[in-house]
Amino acid sequence: MYKFLGVMAVAATVVSSAAAQNSLSGAANNQPVVANPTTLIANFDVQSVGPILDELGVVWRAVATEGGGAAIVANAGGALNFYMQPSACQVNGTSNCIGVLIFSPYEGDANSQTVRAFNDRYPFTRTALDGTNGAFITRYEIADFGIPRGNVAASLLNFFTLASRFHAELASAGRTVSLEGYSDDLAAASLNRKGLLNLTGAIAHAPALSERHNKSFDEATDDILQLIELEYLPRNKIKNFK
């Protein structure tokens, strides 16, 4: 747990301008958003991740953890507060960390139905209630044998996009929780996004790599459900203990 969490107020605002949105989605035309994108970094220590954050224009600072290690407090695009907690540290439990937990918390009255629907819709991230009426979105990355700088940047950009989308869903969610409304929550963001893309032609005209992934995020659950309907698809059996 971070020493600063008890005194730090967490606030994230929805990205409202086109410029801010672009800063969270990365470069178009498949151009790398960081230098030397195929160069491997060995771990998620601050010294390894910090330069990538700098190149993405993220404002960040390192903070000490109770275990003697270091974590990162950051802000993307002036709109999204997020945190990076290195984990699976191989040297004294504080360095050469080959895992990292990326998360963004939201204060306020989070609609549990919306949180669940968002979590079920997007496989790239996990969303949950935090136990105090708020919610959070998280992503875990692994670098057991190194990870390219470009992959770290791409994961962060896609996390930023989904975290901003999650905030928008939380802000616009109704207060009624019902089974009838669940399917609407599950599909609404995807349908709205597809309609906007069809109207603007955004994918065709500015296909940033992160934008392509975002399109796949929207389609992933539908693809899985369609595959499940195939009779020849092998299945794992649930064996209940009695």
Side-chain angles (χ1 to χ4, degrees):
M1 180 62 66
Y2 306 128
K3 295 179 180 178
F4 61 88
L5 281 185
V7 296
M8 181 175 184
V10 178
T13 58
V14 177
V15 183
S16 58
S17 68
Q21 285 284 11
N22 289 338
S23 72
L24 298 183
S25 62
N29 301 319
N30 298 341
Q31 295 301 309
V33 293
V34 293
N36 305 314
T38 60
T39 298
L40 296 181
I41 60 173
N43 51 52
F44 292 109
D45 292 3
V46 172
Q47 297 86 344
S48 299
V49 176
I52 297 174
L53 295 176
D54 288 337
E55 290 185 61
L56 292 178
V58 171
V59 178
W60 65 277
R61 63 187 176 92
V63 296
T65 64
E66 291 182 354
I72 291 173
V73 184
N75 179 279
L80 177 70
N81 293 319
F82 70 100
Y83 309 90
M84 299 181 71
Q85 170 67 69
S87 60
C89 303
Q90 300 182 93
V91 178
N92 300 322
T94 60
S95 62
N96 195 17
C97 304
I98 55 175
V100 64
L101 179 67
I102 308 165
F103 72 98
S104 184
Y106 300 85
E107 289 183 328
D109 186 13
N111 186 323
S112 60
Q113 177 177 286
T114 299
V115 174
R116 165 69 190 279
F118 196 96
N119 189 63
D120 286 355
R121 184 79 208 173
Y122 300 109
F124 182 75
T125 54
R126 184 175 77 90
T127 57
L129 299 172
D130 66 8
T132 61
N133 295 326
F136 63 87
I137 183 170
T138 185
R139 165 83 177 167
Y140 190 85
E141 294 284 352
I142 294 174
D144 287 11
F145 302 99
I147 184 171
R149 301 179 82 250
N151 279 30
V152 177
S155 284
L156 284 170
L157 289 173
N158 283 292
F159 176 82
F160 298 162
T161 298
L162 285 183
S164 296
R165 192 181 300 179
F166 181 51
H167 188 195
E169 291 294 313
L170 290 174
S172 61
R175 292 290 177 262
T176 301
V177 177
S178 65
L179 292 177
E180 290 79 7
Y182 177 77
S183 60
D184 293 336
D185 274 353
L186 187 62
S190 177
L191 292 175
N192 289 340
R193 177 176 171 76
K194 289 178 181 177
L196 177 62
L197 292 177
N198 288 335
L199 179 65
T200 63
I203 291 291
H205 292 103
L209 291 174
S210 59
E211 185 64 41
R212 294 184 185 276
H213 283 303
N214 289 324
K215 182 175 183 292
S216 296
F217 295 156
D218 282 324
E219 297 172 349
T221 298
D222 291 336
D223 290 344
I224 291 171
L225 293 177
Q226 289 176 16
L227 288 170
I228 288 175
E229 293 179 358
L230 299 176
E231 293 183 1
Y232 59 80
L233 185 75
R235 292 165 168 78
N236 300 295
K237 299 295 185 181
I238 299 173
K239 297 182 179 180
N240 295 321
F241 292 99
K242 296 183 178 179

